[in-house]
């Protein structure tokens, strides 16, 4: 939100912001992702070894269904509403003059109300 406000006030440019923040942003996503991949592989190997130790090869079912969570319309609607609420913060600031943190609090309140009812 602060970056958006600075951009609207012509204090920063998009090119300089992208150039300055690309490497830190990339490292913030790449390093945890590598750690998660390494951990997932290690746990998968451990699970395979445990399954082989407890069950003979003929009883191991290789066609087990994945346990990924289902993507429903409600989950997509909440995600889209959250993105729209965040994008409305600069609009609320320009229209009402309220500080951006109040816009974020309003967005949080709207999401809380919608998901709780």
């Amino acid at each position: 939100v602060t970056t958006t406000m600075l951009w609207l006030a012509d204090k920063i440019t998009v090119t300089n912001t992208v150039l300055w923040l690309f490497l830190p942003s990339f490292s913030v996503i790449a390093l945890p992702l590598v750690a998660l991949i390494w951990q997932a592989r290690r746990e998968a190997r451990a699970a395979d070894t445990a399954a082989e130790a407890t069950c003979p090869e003929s009883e191991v079912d290789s066609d087990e269904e994945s346990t990924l969570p289902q993507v429903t319309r409600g989950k997509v609607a909440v995600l889209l509403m959250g993105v729209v609420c965040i994008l409305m913060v600069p609009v609320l600031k320009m229209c009402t003059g309220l500080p951006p943190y109040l816009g974020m609090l309003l967005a949080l309140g709207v999401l809380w109300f919608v998901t709780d009812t």
Side-chain angles (χ1 to χ4, degrees):
V1 174
T2 306
T3 306
T4 306
M5 295 297 143
L6 289 171
W7 177 59
L8 291 173
D10 291 328
K11 302 285 185 190
I12 60 173
T13 63
V14 175
T15 308
N16 287 340
T17 304
V18 169
L19 290 175
W20 275 92
L21 295 178
F22 178 77
L23 186 60
S25 299
F26 182 75
S27 64
V28 163
I29 189 66
L31 295 177
L33 185 61
V34 168
L36 283 173
I37 290 171
W38 178 73
Q39 181 181 6
R41 286 184 182 167
R42 188 181 64 183
E43 288 179 4
R45 279 193 296 258
D48 287 345
T49 337
E52 289 174 3
T54 58
C55 297
E57 288 294 323
S58 61
E59 294 180 15
V60 175
D61 187 15
S62 62
D63 295 330
E64 292 180 7
E65 289 187 21
S66 175
T67 58
L68 294 175
Q70 295 294 322
V71 178
T72 61
R73 287 184 180 180
K75 292 177 182 178
V76 172
V78 169
L79 175 66
L80 291 176
M81 185 179 305
V83 171
V84 167
C85 284
I86 290 173
L87 293 177
M88 290 304 291
V89 171
V91 175
L92 183 70
K93 190 221 183 295
M94 288 188 299
C95 292
T96 63
L98 291 173
Y101 74 90
L102 287 178
M104 289 303 293
L105 284 175
L106 178 64
L108 180 63
V110 168
L111 277 174
W112 179 33
F113 178 77
V114 169
T115 58
D116 201 35
T117 55

